[in-house]
């Protein structure tokens, strides 16, 4: 490895690194505004100036200067200090003194670096220039007079998000950042530009003037808006969650989150169920917990076990799923299902329903085939990884399903099952590439698995995977992309119909059941079922509207819980605030209900419940471990089931990205985003 000196200290570095990166290896802090580790180098803020020998006797921008063997780098000389003060003075010429009224105050790079590297006075008395505000949609608030033209937002929206809707226009003193044609930014990752903006030019519109950062209680948790399990920080004040920010997790979300993850949190305050209800005379009436439990227990005791069914929703934690399964299994109930969309998964080895390449490991795949999956809508942060591989020219993509804009180029092979079943015999460039690939991967989505012929589609996809050697020594390219945060945990727990048990679709048929217990299940249509419905959940959504008894539960920010993401990684969510009103944590509601049913659950605390969970299902004890990181081969031939393949094309289960769960549907911000995305909201270009 090459060696350079930083302030007299020798540092080894890899070829291709910049002077800035080498200096940081030595522990020296280099100020910067335009440079970001995950974006291309712009070199236009000049804040990262250093002195380099051999070289010209002037400061140089370290972010754009390649490091070389034998280089001497100085970061604290009088020349560097004077140069940085000069750059900061120029940056502040037009920047308004908005700190007292700026939402970036307290979290502003410009504030911090002005204190650390700037002068204590200014020599400029000219008028500051003003810039008109820009309409960037319902999420991004602009005060463009503050902008220092670092172009981080332009580079992110173009390179990472793949939706080039922000750009730099004009020249010199007239230069401005704007959206093209004045339209709203439509990318599902758009609000990450707020985190990237080093000044207060782009801030959060829904969060504007809500709180200062030092007022907030910060809780590290995980996201449940999709099955990726992005690392987040929940910021709350009192009983209200005010915002969600991303945390760095290189194995999952790097440092990005989707707009839904960030902004659906205002739905946690609206349409909440905060006390039990019992339907009397056709109308839901407030009740005490004892009355609600008595009503539920009377109905369940009066029904035969085969006439009782349980459907679990998409946002549930593993503990609530475990408590529900323990309770109803003890009552002899076999009609259990955590697949409210009717997905065909649940039989076979655990690898059959996991994203085995892992989220970070899929970057090693050289050819990827999507089957019934639209990662841009189903996992936007994962889609950004695919785009990164496409830009680098390392991965070729093929699609069987919807012909959608995925932000990267792909070979479109066909729309449905005929293309899938005939792929092995097809003759085209992509099939040849898939045959010759060293690390081929198949990503099968819920658009292929949640159909009536899902089992047959799974079998056909497994046959294709076997033909092309997707699973081989040291590589497992069989990947299922889930859309529900609770799905993998439910499958790992065996929350599927027992022998002779009914699936979700069968449970919802008229006359199938006497009692239907909905554990946060809001995405299945229960109107046809004439069963007595019990709903345990958080919002007055689809499940609660049809329920005869409502038991108010806790949202993901209001309880400690385990969630398993699409790659099988068990992650821990932490409580940021307490449940609303009389609502309680889901497992504790089930524990109390078990006493009324005469089947008392054997745990009195969350720790005891987790101990039982870990003992019976050891994979849940492997916190933050992705099993696919150690590739294991498994037999694909047993996957799927019999049945005829339908000619219907594959369609993504997500039609409205911003409205996929009860929390998002209760969110005013998400409603505005959905209206903008559908064209219902007028934009400036019109």
């Amino acid at each position: 490895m090459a060696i350079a000196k930083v302030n007299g200290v020798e540092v080894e570095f890899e070829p291709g690194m910049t002077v800035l990166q080498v200096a940081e290896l030595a522990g020296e802090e280099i100020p910067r505004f335009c440079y970001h580790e995950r974006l291309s180098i712009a070199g236009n803020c000049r804040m990262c100036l250093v002195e380099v020998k051999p070289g010209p006797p002037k400061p140089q921008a370290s972010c754009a200067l390649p490091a070389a063997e034998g280089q001497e780098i100085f970061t604290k000389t009088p020349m560097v200090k004077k140069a940085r003060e000069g750059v900061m003075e120029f940056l502040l010429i037009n920047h308004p003194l908005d700190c007292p009224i700026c939402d970036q105050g307290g979290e502003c790079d410009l504030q911090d670096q002005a204190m650390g590297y700037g002068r204590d006075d200014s020599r400029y008395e000219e008028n500051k220039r003003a810039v008109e505000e820009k309409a960037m949609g319902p999420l991004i608030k602009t005060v463009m007079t503050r902008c220092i033209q670092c172009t981080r937002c332009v580079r992110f929206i173009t390179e990472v998000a793949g939706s080039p809707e922000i750009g730099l226009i004009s020249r010199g003193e007239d230069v401005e950042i704007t959206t093209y044609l004045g339209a709203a930014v439509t990318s599902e990752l758009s609000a990450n530009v707020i985190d990237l903006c080093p000044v207060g030019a782009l801030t959060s519109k829904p969060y504007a003037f809500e709180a200062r950062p030092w007022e907030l209680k910060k809780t590290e948790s995980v996201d449940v808006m999709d099955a990726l399990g992005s690392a987040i920080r929940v910021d709350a004040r009192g009983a209200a969650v005010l915002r969600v920010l991303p945390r760095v997790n290189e194995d999952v979300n790097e440092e990005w989150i989707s707009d839904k993850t960030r902004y659906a949190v205002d739905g946690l305050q609206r349409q909440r169920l905060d006390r039990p209800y019992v339907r009397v005379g056709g109308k839901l009436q407030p009740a005490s917990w004892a009355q609600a439990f008595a009503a539920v227990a009377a109905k369940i005791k009066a029904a035969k076990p085969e006439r009782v069914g349980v459907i679990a929703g998409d946002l549930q934690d593993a503990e609530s799923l475990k408590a529900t399964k323990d309770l109803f299994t003890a009552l002899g109930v076999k009609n259990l299902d955590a697949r409210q969309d009717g997905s065909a998964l649940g039989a076979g080895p655990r690898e059959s329903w996991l994203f085995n390449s892992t989220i970070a490991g899929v970057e090693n795949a050289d050819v990827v085939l999507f089957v019934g999956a639209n990662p841009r809508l189903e996992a936007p942060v994962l889609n950004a990884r695919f785009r990164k591989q496409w830009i680098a020219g390392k991965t070729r993509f093929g699609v069987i399903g919807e012909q959608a804009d995925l932000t990267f180029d792909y070979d479109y092979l066909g729309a449905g099952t005929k293309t899938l079943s005939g792929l092995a015999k097809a003759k085209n460039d992509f099939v040849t590439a898939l045959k010759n690939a060293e690390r081929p991967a198949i990503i099968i989505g819920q658009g292929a698995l949640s159909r009536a012929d899902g089992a047959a589609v799974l079998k056909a996809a497994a046959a294709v995977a076997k033909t092309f050697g997707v699973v081989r020594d040291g590589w497992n390219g069989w990947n299922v992309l889930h859309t529900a945060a609770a799905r993998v945990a439910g499958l790992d727990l065996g929350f599927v119909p027992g022998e002779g048990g009914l699936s979700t679709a069968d449970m919802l048929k008229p006359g199938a059941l006497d009692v239907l217990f909905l554990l946060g299940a809001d995405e299945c249509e229960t109107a046809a079922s004439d069963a007595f419905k019990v709903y345990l959940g958080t919002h007055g959504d689809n499940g609660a509207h049809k329920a005869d008894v409502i038991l108010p539960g806790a949202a993901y920010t209001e309880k400690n819980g385990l969630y398993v993401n699409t790659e099988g990684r068990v992650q821990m969510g932490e409580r940021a605030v307490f449940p609303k009103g009389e609502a309680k944590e889901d497992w504790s509601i089930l524990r109390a209900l078990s006493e009324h049913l005469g089947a008392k659950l054997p745990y009195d605390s969350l720790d005891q419940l987790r101990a039982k969970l870990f003992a019976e299902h050891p994979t849940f004890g492997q916190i933050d471990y992705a099993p696919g990181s150690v590739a294991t081969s498994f037999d694909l031939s047993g996957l799927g089931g019999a049945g005829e393949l339908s000619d219907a094309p594959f369609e993504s289960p997500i039609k409205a990205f911003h409205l996929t769960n009860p929390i998002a549907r209760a969110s005013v911000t998400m409603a505005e985003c959905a209206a903008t995305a559908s064209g219902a909201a007028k934009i400036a270009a019109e």
Side-chain angles (χ1 to χ4, degrees), residues 222 224 312-326 338 350 484-495 519 554 556 559-565 568-573 586-588 590 603 606 609-614 616-617 619-621 623:
V222 293
V224 299
D314 294 345
L315 306 182
Q316 295 304 127
D317 56 296
E319 291 89 343
S320 66
L321 291 167
K322 172 64 174 166
T324 305
K325 186 171 185 287
D326 285 352
R350 188 179 188 227
R487 186 61 49 82
V488 175
L491 297 175
D492 287 349
L493 285 167
F495 205 110
L519 180 66
Y556 74 105
K559 59 186 174 184
N560 296 315
L562 298 175
Y563 300 90
V564 188
N565 75 351
R569 184 188 301 272
V570 180
Q571 300 184 102
M572 197 170 288
D586 300 5
W587 77 267
S588 63
L590 292 156
Y603 30 78
L606 186 63
L609 170 51
R610 282 181 176 170
K612 191 171 190 294
L613 175 65
F614 297 162
E616 296 180 7
H617 303 276
T619 56
F620 284 92
I623 306 296

Side-chain angles (χ1 to χ4, degrees), residues 4-11 19-20 22-24 26 28-31 47-62 65 70-84 117:
K5 282 187 177 181
V6 180
N7 294 336
V9 178
E10 288 191 348
V11 179
V19 168
L20 185 150
V22 173
E24 294 206 328
E28 295 294 338
E29 181 182 349
I30 305 292
M47 193 63 208
C48 62
L49 295 173
V50 297
E51 189 177 350
V52 177
K53 295 181 180 179
K58 64 177 184 178
Q60 299 188 65
S62 59
L65 184 66
Q71 228 171 22
E72 289 189 70
I73 303 164
F74 301 94
T75 68
K76 298 177 180 177
T77 61
M79 179 198 291
V80 171
K81 183 176 185 294
K82 183 179 180 182
R84 288 176 179 170
Y117 304 99

Side-chain angles (χ1 to χ4, degrees), residues 187-386:
S187 169
E188 295 79 14
L189 299 170
S190 66
N192 288 289
V193 300
I194 294 166
D195 296 332
L196 289 171
C197 184
V199 297
L202 303 178
T203 55
S204 171
K205 189 175 284 187
Y207 177 70
F209 310 119
E210 287 288 329
R212 287 297 196 184
W214 52 84
E215 298 178 88
L216 303 174
K217 175 190 172 190
K218 302 168 179 65
T219 307
E220 295 187 352
S221 190
V222 293
D223 174 48
V224 299
M225 294 293 137
D226 57 31
L228 219 60
S230 299
I232 60 173
R233 192 187 85 195
V234 180
D235 287 359
R237 183 178 61 189
V241 173
L242 295 186
R243 66 175 180 178
V244 162
L245 297 176
R247 288 188 293 122
V248 175
N249 186 336
E250 298 293 350
D251 294 329
V252 181
N253 61 307
E254 297 179 297
E255 61 183 86
W256 319 123
I257 54 173
S258 74
D259 292 348
K260 183 165 55 178
T261 297
R262 187 186 299 266
Y263 285 121
V265 291
D266 64 322
L268 293 167
Q269 301 296 113
R270 296 177 170 88
Q271 298 181 21
R272 288 302 302 271
L273 302 173
D274 58 0
R275 62 181 303 172
Y277 289 86
V278 175
R279 194 176 293 277
V280 179
K283 291 187 177 181
L284 287 168
Q285 304 287 346
S288 67
W289 277 104
Q291 290 170 326
F293 285 145
V296 175
K299 288 291 183 180
I300 293 178
K301 286 178 179 178
K304 295 179 180 178
E306 60 269 20
R307 300 283 297 174
V308 177
V310 184
I311 301 174
D314 294 345
L315 306 182
Q316 295 304 127
D317 56 296
E319 291 89 343
S320 66
L321 291 167
K322 172 64 174 166
T324 305
K325 186 171 185 287
D326 285 352
L327 172 58
F328 285 93
T329 301
L331 297 173
V333 175
K334 295 181 179 179
N335 306 320
L336 304 170
D337 206 344
R339 308 161 305 176
Q340 57 177 336
D341 57 4
S343 176
L345 298 166
R350 188 179 188 227
E351 290 85 357
S352 66
W353 59 74
L354 294 184
F355 199 94
N356 292 289
S357 299
T358 72
I359 294 166
V362 78
E363 292 188 15
N364 297 319
D366 43 11
V367 182
V368 174
L369 172 65
F370 296 105
V371 179
N374 183 338
R376 182 173 178 180
L377 296 181
E378 296 165 24
V381 176
L382 176 62
N383 196 66
R385 284 190 188 264
F386 295 139

Side-chain angles (χ1 to χ4, degrees), residues 345 347-354 356 440-442 444 455 457-472 475-480 632-641:
L345 298 166
R350 188 179 188 227
E351 290 85 357
S352 66
W353 59 74
L354 294 184
N356 292 289
I442 285 183
I444 184 165
V457 173
L458 181 62
K459 187 174 184 178
V464 168
K466 195 167 185 179
T467 300
F468 289 97
V470 163
V471 179
R472 56 183 72 174
W475 175 253
N476 189 338
W478 172 261
N479 299 301
V480 175
T632 56
S633 60
F634 73 102
D635 187 12
L636 287 159
S637 58
L639 295 190

Side-chain angles (χ1 to χ4, degrees), residues 20 32-33 64 165 191 261 298 315 350 384 392 409 415 443 520 563 590-591 600 628 636 668:
L20 185 150
R32 84 289 298 266
F33 291 113
E165 298 166 315
T261 297
L315 306 182
R350 188 179 188 227
D409 292 342
I443 298 176
Y563 300 90
L590 292 156
R591 167 65 178 78
K600 184 179 176 182
L636 287 159
V668 171

Side-chain angles (χ1 to χ4, degrees), residues 135-157:
M136 293 194 180
L139 303 180
I140 304 169
K141 177 174 180 279
T142 66
V143 185
M144 300 313 293
T145 302
R146 301 171 185 161
C147 179
I148 62 169
Q149 290 86 43
C150 70
T151 69
R152 278 187 180 183
C153 55
V154 178
R155 284 175 285 147
F156 171 83
I157 213 74

